[in-house]
Amino acid sequence: SQASDNMRILTGALLLAVLGTGLAQQLQQPDPCEHRHRVVGDITYCDRYWECVSGTPQNYDCPNGLVFVGRNRGIAEGCDYPWRGAYCDNKQLANPPLSTEHCDWLYGIFGHETSCTRYWTCWNGTATEQFCIGGLLYNEETHACDWPSNVRGCQKHPLCTEDPDANVPLGSSCERYWACQGGYPRLQRCPATLVFDKQSRRCIAPPTQDCEAPTTTEAPLGEGTGFRGESAPRPQPRPRTRPQPRPTQSRIQQQPQQQRPTKIAPQSSPERPFVPAGAIPVRFNDPEPQGGFAPQQQGGFSP
Ligand SMILES: *[C@@H]1O[C@H](CO)[C@@H](O)[C@H](O)[C@H]1NC(C)=O
């Protein structure tokens, strides 16, 4: 009959369409053995790539938490932090996060549970605590130390909560003090020959109650600096852009698929609130970001 003929044509067309789509998708995946670099990214998953091994395409997954960015690029095996580019736009993740203590993924940079001035760098699930220096705070959106005005939830520094525009003594130092400006602290040094007077909170000519004359020796930091008794950490050496040791054999063969994460970058949440701790190592230079990442903007402070 006419109706069943129509139905047969329609079914045939649908079948062709489905087959065609499947073929097109398969054909789109480039063969790494025909590629100059012998490595190509997967067309569906941003954390997966294909490599030509003995003339045969093999697929590999990036270290957990990283996405494929290209041969000889990224921090490990051609893979890099996902927030450094739009690598996962229009692609999915093949693997769910593998979490360890402090690390949402085995590799990445993550916010501290209780401090705005600290963060964790994770390499293969091992967390290393890092500190933002010079009054910078960790910005979970850029995964870098940043000006406090750019860090949501950590706007004002605890040093300056009492008075957002006051000078604050720095421990028992006679020359150094914090100058709060709009709630953001800057480390200052009194001009030569002057000492910081805790009563008037200004640099004045000695002697004061605590200070005879400017000395070159300083009381150890972290004692009596007025916030939480935390010792000020020493600035860390700048990490190399390519963290060491570079894993030589961390290729993870494709794992059976589990539940997929919906987002790769952890955001602050009620379970992970930011509470300023306020430990700042002393430094006289303008604040420099750590971790090798520049702050997005430098608009927060007026010098
Ligand atoms: C990562 O750690 C696991 C054990 O925690 C270890 O078996 C593996 O070899 C490590 N991979 C790399 C690349 O260091």
Side-chain angles (χ1 to χ4, degrees):
S1 72
Q2 183 70 32
S4 74
D5 277 354
N6 279 348
M7 190 54 108
R8 210 170 298 139
I9 290 163
L10 191 64
T11 312
L14 272 175
L15 195 65
L16 272 179
V18 168
L19 278 175
T21 311
L23 278 174
Q25 265 175 6
Q26 288 206 329
L27 291 174
Q28 271 170 15
Q29 176 62 60
D31 184 344
C33 298
E34 287 165 13
H35 195 273
R36 191 161 55 97
H37 291 314
R38 324 289 286 171
V39 181
V40 290
D42 190 89
I43 55 164
T44 309
Y45 301 105
C46 52
D47 54 344
R48 184 167 289 173
Y49 59 95
W50 296 79
E51 187 165 341
C52 186
V53 181
S54 321
T56 314
Q58 294 255 8
N59 78 9
Y60 296 98
D61 283 345
C62 283
N64 187 255
L66 306 182
V67 296
F68 183 73
V69 296
R71 184 187 171 89
N72 293 332
R73 295 181 53 218
I75 58 164
E77 296 163 36
C79 302
D80 206 349
Y81 300 124
W83 60 83
R84 289 200 177 152
Y87 305 109
C88 290
D89 283 5
N90 307 315
K91 286 194 184 182
Q92 300 161 41
L93 287 165
N95 297 288
L98 300 174
S99 304
T100 65
E101 198 183 4
H102 309 306
C103 304
D104 295 3
W105 301 74
L106 293 185
Y107 292 79
I109 300 175
F110 305 105
H112 199 278
E113 294 80 355
T114 59
S115 169
C116 278
T117 57
R118 299 163 186 227
Y119 59 100
W120 299 103
T121 52
C122 292
W123 189 267
N124 196 23
T126 301
T128 306
E129 193 173 32
Q130 310 281 354
F131 303 93
C132 293
I133 56 171
L136 299 187
L137 301 175
Y138 177 73
N139 185 335
E140 186 87 314
E141 284 164 24
T142 57
H143 300 264
C145 296
D146 203 349
W147 302 99
S149 52
N150 297 333
V151 184
R152 272 190 291 139
C154 292
Q155 291 288 308
K156 306 291 168 169
H157 205 279
L159 267 170
C160 304
T161 43
E162 209 175 289
D163 182 340
D165 294 299
N167 291 332
V168 178
L170 196 163
S172 52
S173 173
C174 285
E175 290 99 43
R176 298 183 285 186
Y177 62 98
W178 296 102
C180 291
Q181 291 165 9
Y184 308 132
R186 301 300 302 266
L187 189 61
Q188 304 290 336
R189 183 193 286 274
C190 288
T193 77
L194 301 187
V195 295
F196 188 76
D197 175 40
K198 285 182 183 149
Q199 264 64 53
S200 62
R201 300 191 164 218
R202 291 169 52 218
C203 296
I204 62 168
T208 63
Q209 198 182 326
D210 309 300
C211 300
E212 295 289 318
T215 56
T216 45
T217 52
E218 288 287 344
L221 283 169
E223 281 177 23
T225 41
F227 41 90
R228 290 184 54 165
E230 287 187 60
S231 61
R234 299 231 134 261
Q236 307 283 300
R238 267 168 169 277
R240 286 159 286 223
T241 19
R242 184 182 286 271
Q244 302 288 333
R246 185 187 155 96
T248 48
Q249 210 38 277
S250 81
R251 279 179 176 168
I252 308 147
Q253 285 287 352
Q254 186 175 339
Q255 298 290 319
Q257 208 146 299
Q258 299 166 46
Q259 145 225 359
R260 279 197 201 132
T262 50
K263 56 179 181 179
I264 196 153
Q267 299 294 325
S268 53
S269 65
E271 301 85 60
R272 175 176 247 185
F274 276 122
V275 181
I280 303 184
V282 165
R283 229 178 123 107
F284 287 96
N285 307 335
D286 271 353
E288 253 183 66
Q290 289 200 314
F293 315 115
Q296 294 289 306
Q297 300 166 270
Q298 304 222 338
F301 284 117
S302 46

